[in-house]
């Protein structure tokens, strides 16, 4: 904003341009430190069709209305051949003198400045005794016409004058836009090109001016779609009803659509079209071309903001002037000028700073949260627990919010917590729901059991862009029970809880639970046996609510018999068993023994020898589970493919190659430990590699009579979706 | 917020720290708005406010981060200390516990800011003389021992609030003038004359720091 530059070096005073908000405040407070005066401004545009300047033009400027300033724009001031190449000062001097001599009292005026682009001339006169100061005056031109050798010729374009009168910055632009009915888009583009006009330095663009007066031969015509013939238009244009044609004016329509002169104002002309006349008459063009009349010559203005006051007093064409095929157009304006009282401005500066602070702080993003603390209570393994909070934009600006990782953390929240959405742009007064979900998966469970944590707390940082941060506190309680614990923990749990459970049913189940096998595993396997291996449908979908019911039964020991759970299926038990094994903090095959096991994957004897080296709990578990699987596979050939999943669980590894791990499982399931050991002692060092037909059928008698399952169906691998 | 470059002589980053309920947010509010917020909710997060001040004829923009005082947020709020040019450490003259915790706050402030950060001790609620629990002299001695500037203030009446914020700025400015604060060093919390974008939020990398360090 350049309109009130203060003198340099005044200490503590107001210097604009330091802070946009302060500038805005000072601007809105102008009336507190400015005095105003009104001047009259007369603007006129005239396409002179290459005519030589007469000594003066009578009636151009009425003698009974003497303006403080006259600004005149001419077009086609010089059409002579070669003008585009060689400048001719003579015509310019003559025309400026003609204009001066046309002023009400020529001697009372001085020329402020003029600028010419070939035939496009702008000149400004000031009433000498007018009591305002012009402290800066600059002018420039911009050419938009035909481009020759990369340089635009000056046959079309604009010339402008920028003046600072008192403390108001005013700009006048005279232009000649592309001609011809079909050149609408070219005219629009010419306008846009001319708006790039600058004065002096590059940042002094036209838009910084308090007022812009823009005039010239804009060359806009009536649209071809007007519902009249050319003759009808000429007839209407001749009458007092001419103004009714204005609705078909290209500029009027384009401006309304915002395509051109968008922020400019213009009073709809009450005068007749100003083009094209037979020279020397007020008759419409009678040449062969018989041009349709149009308002080519116009005067528009633009105010920077509400502090600029412009009143248009008149807008007319001068039909009596007949030297050209255009008529001159003339407008009178009352323009308010400001004068800054610098002392007052400096005194207001401190207040303006405070006001700017207030506005800046007020514009900081503000939101309200329905809660900043969420307690999820007791949460269970793999049971999603969801809460929502409502966030409302209560501020005066759009809010971009996002959850960001707390300091020294990479994730925005703990592993057991999920938040959506993590980014959002809130409009003023808009509300959104943010959902937070606690899920204890095996990874979280391991992390929590490792750190012996039961009370969970996480602080999320929600950042408002360019503003404050909000913290969101999430708490939950999680007690490791059956899932996500160590084998030791599972076994230990059995021992401590044995005394707490009422006997009867329990005693019986526990009776046949082998030593070293957690009761929960045994309960699952027992229930599977009770339902029967043939009822196990591997194509079933994993049902999470059923999983929840089985998990609860395992955790609470009620009901002891898992088959009594409502809706329970063999598959739901089977997948729970896999999930449980997968959730254990340690793999059944210890990490350190993996290599050895894979090495012996086809040799059951050596494999079992390796297993025998594991800790007793693992050995018991592996024996127990392979026994179960042996039963299953012997009754259900198609279940062999299931061993792939078991290989993943046993080794806690899914990376390639997977074949050796699967082979391990085949070996362990196909040959029971004692059988393998027996063969070993009988010097059978190697067992057949492909035991499918010749393998030793060693199995425990199944608890339920064997049924032949529907072995024809293909069995998908009950896989990753179970974990 | 309006676009375009702001041009101050300097931008200083402040943090306000101290126990819950000592009146940190009220001090900020009193300083930026010259008003007392009677029912100020606990800050759950980090508040932000700005004000332009003048020191020795230079216009300085203060960016003030007001942190949550609750102990459980301590781990998170610590990250906002980095890059502060001034730290206002606040206790409540009517609650001795808040005064007793000062050494812990001071340790954080010393460890987490740079050596030139100006730490200013504020005893807030000086208007509640009848309930006074910490004598002025005792706190003054503590401040002297630790090389802190000290004032008792009232966010309610506004007494001394301006002075605390301005005096801190003066000290920072003095450090710049006498060269003890190296503007090229990292995390000074001072942004010298240059084009500045309005700050982004706090913890990991507030915009203002990035720009002066990179």
């Amino acid at each position: 904003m350049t309109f009130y530059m203060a003198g340099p070096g005044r200490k503590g005073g107001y210097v604009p341009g330091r802070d946009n908000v302060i500038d805005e405040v000072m601007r809105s407070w102008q009336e507190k430190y400015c005095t105003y005066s009104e001047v009259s401004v007369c603007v006129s545009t005239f396409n002179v069709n290459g005519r030589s300047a007469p000594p003066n033009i009578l009636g151009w400027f009425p003698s009974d209305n003497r303006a403080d300033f006259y600004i005149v724009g001419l077009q086609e001031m010089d059409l002579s051949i070669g003008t585009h190449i060689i400048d001719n000062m003579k015509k310019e001097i003559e025309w400026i003198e003609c204009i001066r001599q046309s002023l009400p009292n020529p001697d009372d005026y001085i020329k402020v400045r003029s600028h010419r682009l070939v035939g496009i001339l702008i000149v400004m006169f000031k009433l000498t005794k007018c009591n305002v100061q012009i402290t800066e005056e600059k002018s420039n031109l911009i050419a938009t016409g035909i481009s020759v050798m990369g340089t635009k010729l000056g046959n079309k374009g604009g010339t402008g004058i920028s003046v600072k009168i008192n403390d108001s910055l005013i700009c006048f632009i005279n232009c000649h836009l592309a001609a011809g009915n079909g050149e609408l888009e070219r005219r629009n583009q010419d306008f846009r090109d001319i708006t790039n006009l600058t004065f002096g330095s590059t940042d002094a663009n036209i838009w910084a001016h308090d007022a812009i007066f823009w005039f010239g031969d804009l060359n806009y015509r009536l649209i071809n779609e007007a519902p009249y013939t050319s003759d009808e238009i000429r007839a209407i244009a001749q009458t007092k009803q001419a103004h009714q044609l204005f609705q078909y004016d290209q500029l009027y329509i384009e401006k309304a659509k915002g395509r051109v002169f968008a922020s400019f104002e213009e009073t709809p002309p009450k005068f007749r079209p100003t083009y094209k006349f037979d020279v020397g008459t007020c008759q419409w063009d009678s040449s062969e071309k018989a041009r349709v009349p149009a308002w080519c010559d116009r005067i528009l203005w633009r105010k920077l903001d509400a502090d600029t006051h412009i009143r248009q007093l008149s807008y007319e064409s001068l039909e009596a002037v007949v030297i050209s095929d255009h008529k001159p157009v003339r407008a009178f304006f009352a323009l308010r000028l400001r004068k800054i009282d610098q002392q007052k401005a400096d005194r207001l500066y401190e207040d303006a700073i405070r006001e700017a602070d207030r506005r800046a702080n007020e514009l900081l993003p503000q939101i309200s949260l329905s809660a900043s603390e969420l307690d999820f209570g007791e949460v269970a393994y793999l049971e999603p627990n969801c809460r929502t909070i409502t966030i409302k934009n209560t501020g005066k600006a759009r809010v971009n919010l996002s959850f960001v990782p707390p300091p020294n953390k990479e994730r925005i929240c703990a592993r057991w917590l999920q938040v959506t959405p993590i980014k959002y742009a809130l409009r003023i007064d808009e509300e959104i729901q943010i959902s937070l979900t606690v899920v204890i998966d095996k990874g979280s469970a391991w992390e929590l059991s490792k750190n012996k944590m039961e009370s969970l707390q996480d602080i999320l940082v929600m950042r408002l862009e360019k503003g404050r941060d909000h913290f969101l506190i999430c708490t939950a309680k999680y007690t490791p029970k059956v899932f996500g614990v160590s084998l030791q923990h599972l076994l230990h749990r059995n021992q401590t809880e044995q005394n707490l459970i009422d006997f009867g049913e329990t005693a019986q189940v526990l009776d046949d639970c082998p030593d070293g096998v957690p009761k929960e595993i045994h309960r699952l396997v027992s229930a599977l046996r009770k339902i029967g291996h043939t009822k196990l449908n591997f194509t079933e979908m994993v049902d999470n609510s059923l999983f929840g019911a089985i998990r609860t039964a395992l955790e609470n020991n009620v009901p002891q018999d898992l088959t009594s759970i409502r809706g329970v299926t063999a598959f739901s038990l089977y997948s729970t068993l896999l999930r449980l094994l997968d959730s254990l903090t340690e793999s059944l095959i210890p990490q350190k023994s993996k290599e050895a096991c894979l090495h012996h994957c086809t040799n059951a004897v050596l494999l079992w020898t390796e297993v025998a080296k594991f800790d007793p709990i693992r050995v018991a578990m592996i024996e127990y589970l392979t026994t179960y699987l042996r039963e299953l596979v012997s009754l259900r050939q198609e279940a062999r493919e299931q061993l792939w999943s078991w290989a993943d669980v046993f080794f806690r590894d899914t990376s390639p190659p997977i074949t050796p791990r699967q082979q391990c499982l085949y070996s362990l399931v196909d040959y029971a430990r004692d059988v393998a050991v027996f063969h070993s002692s009988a010097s059978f060092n190697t067992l057949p590699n492909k035991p499918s037909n010749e393998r030793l059928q060693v199995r425990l008698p199944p608890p339920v009579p064997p049924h032949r399952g529907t072995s024809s169906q293909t069995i998908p691998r009950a896989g990753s979706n179970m974990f | 917020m309006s676009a375009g470059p702001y041009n101050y002589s300097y931008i200083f980053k402040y943090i306000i720290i101290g126990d819950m309920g000592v009146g940190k947010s009220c001090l900020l509010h009193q300083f930026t708005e010259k008003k007392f917020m009677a029912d100020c909710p606990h800050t759950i997060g980090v508040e932000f406010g700005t004000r332009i001040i003048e020191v020795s004829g230079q216009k300085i923009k203060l960016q003030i981060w007001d942190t949550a005082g609750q102990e459980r947020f301590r781990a998170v709020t610590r990250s906002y200390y980095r890059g502060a040019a001034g730290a206002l450490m606040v206790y409540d003259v009517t609650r001795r516990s808040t005064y007793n915790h000062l050494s812990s706050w001071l340790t954080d402030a010393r460890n987490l800011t740079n050596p030139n950060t100006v730490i200013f001790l504020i005893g807030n609620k000086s208007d509640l003389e009848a309930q006074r629990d910490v004598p002025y002299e005792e706190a003054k001695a503590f401040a002297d021992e630790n090389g802190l500037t000290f004032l008792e203030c009232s966010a309610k009446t506004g007494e001394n609030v301006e002075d605390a914020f301005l005096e801190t700025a003066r000290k920072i400015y003095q450090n710049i003038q006498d060269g003890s604060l190296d503007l090229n060093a990292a995390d000074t919390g001072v942004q010298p004359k240059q084009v500045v974008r309005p700050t982004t939020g706090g913890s990991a990398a507030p915009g203002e720091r990035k720009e002066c360090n990179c």
Side-chain angles (χ1 to χ4, degrees):
Chain A
M1 239 171 283
T2 51
F3 71 107
Y4 40 60
M5 291 297 284
R10 251 176 333 95
K11 202 167 181 181
Y14 174 53
V15 182
R18 267 191 184 160
D19 183 299
N20 281 1
V21 186
I22 295 177
D23 286 347
E24 214 169 278
V25 173
M26 285 300 279
R27 207 181 154 80
S28 67
W29 286 358
Q30 277 179 59
E31 305 212 344
K32 295 184 185 178
Y33 60 90
C34 290
T35 52
Y36 297 93
S37 55
E38 203 172 70
V39 289
S40 56
V41 175
C42 176
V43 175
S44 182
T45 172
F46 189 17
N47 182 324
V48 298
N49 193 22
R51 301 290 138 182
S52 296
N56 65 16
I57 295 175
L58 278 170
W60 194 352
F61 303 109
S63 53
D64 57 345
N65 187 359
R66 299 176 54 173
D68 298 307
F69 292 94
Y70 286 89
I71 300 91
V72 179
L74 302 183
Q75 305 86 34
E76 299 189 10
M77 186 205 76
D78 195 344
L79 287 177
S80 53
I81 294 162
T83 309
H84 296 154
I85 316 294
I86 307 151
D87 256 3
N88 187 346
M89 288 293 291
K90 186 166 167 282
K91 286 212 164 190
E92 176 180 346
I93 293 163
E94 285 171 1
W95 267 109
I96 290 174
E97 191 52 29
C98 163
I99 294 164
R100 181 200 294 278
Q101 292 307 323
S102 306
L103 298 178
N105 208 341
D107 294 340
D108 290 350
Y109 289 88
I110 53 161
K111 189 183 101 174
V112 176
R113 199 171 181 102
S114 64
H115 209 106
R116 181 167 68 93
L117 165 65
V118 192
I120 305 168
L121 172 73
I122 187 168
V123 58
M124 179 174 188
F125 290 95
K126 174 183 178 281
L127 183 66
T128 315
K129 64 175 198 239
C130 174
N131 191 25
V132 293
Q133 274 84 48
I134 295 182
T135 50
E136 284 168 32
E137 38 153 293
K138 293 164 185 161
S139 58
N140 203 356
L141 59 83
I142 200 158
T144 62
I146 307 154
S147 194
V148 175
M149 312 274 288
T151 310
K152 288 200 169 155
L153 292 180
N155 60 332
K156 295 290 184 296
T159 53
I161 293 175
S162 163
V163 283
K164 189 159 140 186
I165 313 174
N166 287 350
D167 288 303
S168 292
L169 196 61
I170 316 290
C171 170
F172 300 94
I173 295 170
N174 171 34
C175 73
H176 193 182
L177 306 185
N181 256 35
E183 292 297 319
L184 173 63
E185 193 36 56
R186 183 64 240 166
R187 281 189 279 281
N188 290 355
Q189 187 53 42
D190 282 351
F191 164 77
R192 290 188 281 265
D193 286 347
I194 295 168
T195 61
N196 288 330
L197 196 64
T198 54
F199 300 100
S201 55
T202 47
D203 56 330
N205 64 62
I206 65 166
W207 307 115
H209 290 75
D210 291 298
I212 303 171
F213 292 91
W214 190 307
F215 45 93
D217 180 358
L218 307 189
N219 252 325
Y220 286 94
R221 312 299 169 89
L222 298 185
I223 55 168
N224 294 329
E225 293 75 17
Y228 301 110
T229 65
S230 165
D231 285 340
E232 283 169 341
I233 290 175
R234 292 157 77 94
I236 297 168
Q238 190 64 32
T239 68
K240 286 209 162 108
Q241 301 307 309
H243 64 270
Q244 286 179 1
L245 293 170
F246 189 65
Q247 59 185 304
Y248 306 112
D249 175 63
Q250 286 177 333
L251 174 57
Y252 173 76
I253 292 164
E254 291 290 292
K255 184 175 167 334
K257 287 178 182 167
R259 289 187 185 151
V260 75
F261 285 98
S263 53
F264 283 78
E265 296 174 52
E266 187 195 17
T267 313
K270 292 278 183 284
F271 50 86
R272 297 199 302 158
T274 54
Y275 178 78
K276 177 180 183 173
F277 294 94
D278 287 339
V279 175
T281 72
C282 288
Q283 302 299 315
W284 300 123
D285 179 27
S286 61
S287 74
E288 214 169 295
K289 284 186 179 173
R291 291 188 199 276
V292 178
W295 284 278
C296 288
D297 308 281
R298 310 283 276 270
I299 300 170
L300 297 90
W301 69 95
R302 176 187 188 266
K303 297 186 276 198
L304 180 61
D305 55 30
D307 291 300
T308 305
H309 289 203
I310 297 173
R311 271 183 302 128
Q312 189 177 35
L313 306 171
S314 66
Y315 188 27
E316 55 208 316
S317 77
L318 303 163
E319 296 225 347
V321 180
V322 295
I323 61 167
S324 168
D325 55 353
H326 286 253
K327 299 295 178 193
V329 170
R330 184 188 69 200
F332 276 88
F333 296 93
L335 170 67
R336 191 176 82 158
L337 300 173
R338 77 169 70 79
K339 194 162 180 64
I340 294 171
D341 181 330
Q342 195 59 49
Q343 281 181 341
K344 276 189 188 170
D346 289 350
R347 278 201 295 277
L348 277 166
Y349 182 34
E350 286 305 317
D351 290 343
I353 291 173
R354 297 311 302 264
E355 175 63 16
D357 284 337
R358 198 187 62 74
R359 290 186 192 180
N361 284 315
E362 202 175 77
L363 281 177
L364 289 173
Q366 301 280 345
I367 56 163
S368 68
L369 288 91
S370 62
S372 56
E373 190 151 5
L374 294 173
D375 186 2
F376 291 82
E378 186 85 38
V379 292
Y381 183 78
L382 275 189
E383 189 170 281
N385 200 327
C386 182
R387 301 283 154 90
T388 60
I389 55 166
T390 305
I391 293 176
K392 184 176 182 183
N393 181 350
T394 55
K396 296 187 173 171
R398 197 181 173 86
V399 170
N400 291 315
L401 64 86
S402 58
F403 286 90
V404 298
N408 313 319
K409 299 213 174 136
E410 281 168 17
R411 297 163 52 96
I412 58 168
C413 59
R415 187 184 168 130
W416 46 269
L417 193 60
Q418 291 162 8
V419 53
T420 48
I422 59 166
K423 272 183 201 292
Y424 198 82
L426 261 180
R427 295 187 305 272
I428 297 169
D429 290 329
E430 189 188 354
E431 278 187 2
I432 51 152
Q433 310 268 317
I434 300 239
S435 72
L436 295 117
T437 311
V438 172
V439 183
I440 308 288
D441 62 6
K442 62 183 180 194
S444 311
W446 296 341
E447 219 169 87
L448 298 171
S449 72
K450 196 171 77 187
N451 299 322
K452 302 255 178 290
M453 278 163 59
E454 296 205 343
S455 293
L456 312 181
Q457 180 181 297
D458 197 28
I459 298 173
L460 281 73
V461 180
M462 183 170 63
R463 177 154 302 163
L464 311 186
E465 190 182 288
K466 293 177 189 167
R468 60 165 294 178
D469 289 356
H470 285 268
F471 296 162
L472 209 57
I473 307 110
C474 295
T475 50
K477 231 176 111 54
Y478 172 73
T479 314
K481 287 176 179 163
V482 172
F483 287 80
V485 298
S486 64
L487 268 172
Q488 279 289 353
H489 178 102
L490 261 189
L491 270 178
H492 183 65
R493 182 180 130 83
N494 281 347
Q495 285 154 17
T496 52
E497 285 179 13
Q498 249 174 28
N499 300 331
L500 304 173
I501 319 159
D502 95 275
F503 267 61
E505 184 195 20
T506 318
Q508 180 200 348
V509 177
L510 291 177
D511 269 352
D512 60 357
C513 181
D515 276 350
V517 174
K519 183 189 59 181
E520 290 75 12
I521 306 281
H522 184 58
R523 282 170 70 199
L524 282 165
V525 172
S526 300
L528 278 163
R529 285 185 175 132
K530 188 170 172 188
I531 293 175
H533 296 306
T534 52
K535 297 273 172 57
L536 183 51
N537 174 11
F538 295 114
T539 60
E540 217 175 285
M541 294 296 289
V542 174
D543 180 337
N544 269 321
S545 64
L546 210 44
F547 166 74
I550 299 168
R551 189 203 64 234
T552 309
L554 287 172
E555 289 174 350
N556 300 340
N557 300 310
V558 179
Q560 189 58 228
D561 179 5
L562 299 175
T563 60
S564 63
I565 294 170
R566 201 187 143 105
V568 79
T569 62
F571 183 76
S572 62
L573 293 163
Y574 176 82
S575 59
T576 303
L577 176 62
L578 277 166
R579 270 189 179 177
L580 173 52
L581 294 167
D582 188 55
S583 80
L584 296 173
T585 54
E586 66 269 64
S587 57
L588 291 169
I589 309 280
Q591 186 66 30
K592 62 175 170 20
S593 311
K594 251 163 93 173
E595 277 305 310
C597 289
L598 294 176
H599 188 67
H600 302 308
C601 64
T602 56
N603 187 326
V605 176
L606 295 176
L607 202 49
W608 276 113
T609 313
E610 198 57 47
V611 170
K613 296 177 193 164
F614 299 175
D615 54 282
I617 307 176
R618 280 195 165 102
V619 178
M621 280 287 285
I622 291 172
E623 278 202 72
Y624 181 83
L625 290 168
T626 51
T627 304
Y628 159 69
L629 291 170
R630 201 168 299 123
E631 278 169 53
L632 179 64
V633 170
S634 69
L635 287 172
R636 304 278 302 275
Q637 270 298 310
E638 72 271 25
R640 280 185 76 78
E641 279 180 38
Q642 284 294 313
L643 295 183
W644 301 351
S645 298
W646 288 85
D648 293 347
V649 170
F650 269 53
F651 282 91
R652 194 69 56 85
D653 187 355
T654 52
S655 62
I658 52 171
T659 324
R661 293 195 297 270
Q662 291 169 359
Q663 189 56 52
C664 273
L665 256 287
Y666 291 145
S667 297
L668 290 172
V669 170
D670 288 338
Y671 303 101
R673 187 186 177 192
D674 42 1
V675 174
V677 172
F678 162 77
H679 277 274
S680 169
S681 59
S683 307
F684 276 90
N685 277 331
T686 324
L687 286 160
N689 222 353
K690 292 258 178 184
S692 54
N693 295 323
E694 313 170 39
R695 72 164 184 261
L696 302 164
Q697 297 287 319
V698 183
R699 14 178 151 98
L700 292 175
V704 282
H707 298 286
R708 276 272 150 234
T710 49
S711 54
S712 59
Q713 77 185 95
T714 53
I715 299 164
R717 183 181 177 207
S720 53
N721 65 330
M722 289 193 288
F723 306 121
Chain B
M1 216 170 281
S2 52
Y6 293 178
N7 195 357
Y8 308 96
S9 305
Y10 295 99
I11 295 177
F12 292 173
K13 175 182 167 177
Y14 279 18
I15 49 164
I16 312 180
I17 55 174
D19 272 12
M20 179 169 79
V22 298
K24 296 182 293 299
S25 298
C26 289
L27 284 167
L28 170 63
H29 201 252
Q30 175 63 254
F31 179 66
T32 56
E33 313 268 312
K34 292 212 156 141
K35 271 184 230 147
F36 177 62
M37 270 195 302
D39 301 308
C40 180
H42 287 307
T43 305
I44 301 175
V46 177
E47 284 268 17
F48 176 73
T50 70
R51 193 179 137 181
I52 301 159
I53 58 162
E54 192 173 307
V55 172
S56 306
Q58 302 278 351
K59 284 283 175 269
I60 292 167
K61 183 155 188 159
L62 299 184
Q63 291 184 336
I64 308 154
W65 296 90
D66 161 35
T67 62
Q70 287 179 54
E71 185 58 32
R72 59 175 168 168
F73 298 133
R74 199 77 176 264
V76 184
T77 51
R78 279 194 182 107
S79 64
Y80 293 85
Y81 289 45
R82 214 177 119 232
L88 306 184
M89 191 167 70
V90 188
Y91 71 97
D92 175 352
V93 300
T94 70
R95 277 193 299 146
R96 175 160 284 277
S97 62
T98 66
Y99 173 79
N100 293 341
H101 293 151
L102 285 179
S103 54
S104 144
W105 288 109
L106 184 59
T107 306
D108 272 2
R110 292 246 198 263
N111 290 344
L112 301 166
T113 62
N114 78 80
N116 282 302
T117 299
V118 172
I119 303 175
F120 199 103
L121 180 63
I122 294 177
N124 191 30
K125 310 195 189 177
S126 62
D127 54 295
L128 303 175
E129 191 53 51
Q131 297 160 46
R132 178 183 284 279
D133 202 14
V134 182
Y136 175 86
E137 294 71 21
E138 188 183 346
K140 180 79 175 99
F142 173 83
D144 290 345
E145 239 167 72
N146 291 286
L148 313 174
T149 321
F150 170 57
L151 269 181
E152 283 193 346
C153 299
S154 167
K156 190 172 182 179
T157 65
E159 186 198 3
N160 279 348
V161 174
E162 289 271 315
D163 300 280
F165 282 84
L166 296 187
E167 187 55 31
T168 306
R170 266 181 231 121
K171 286 200 172 287
I172 297 167
Y173 187 69
Q174 201 181 316
N175 287 345
I176 297 169
Q177 294 302 100
D178 67 22
S180 58
L181 186 98
D182 177 8
L183 292 177
N184 296 318
D187 296 336
T188 57
V190 174
Q191 194 174 348
K193 275 180 186 138
Q194 61 181 8
V195 173
V196 178
R197 265 172 260 119
T199 176
T200 56
S203 70
E208 76 269 30
R209 283 208 316 266
K210 271 208 156 163
E211 278 166 68
C212 58
N213 297 336
C214 297

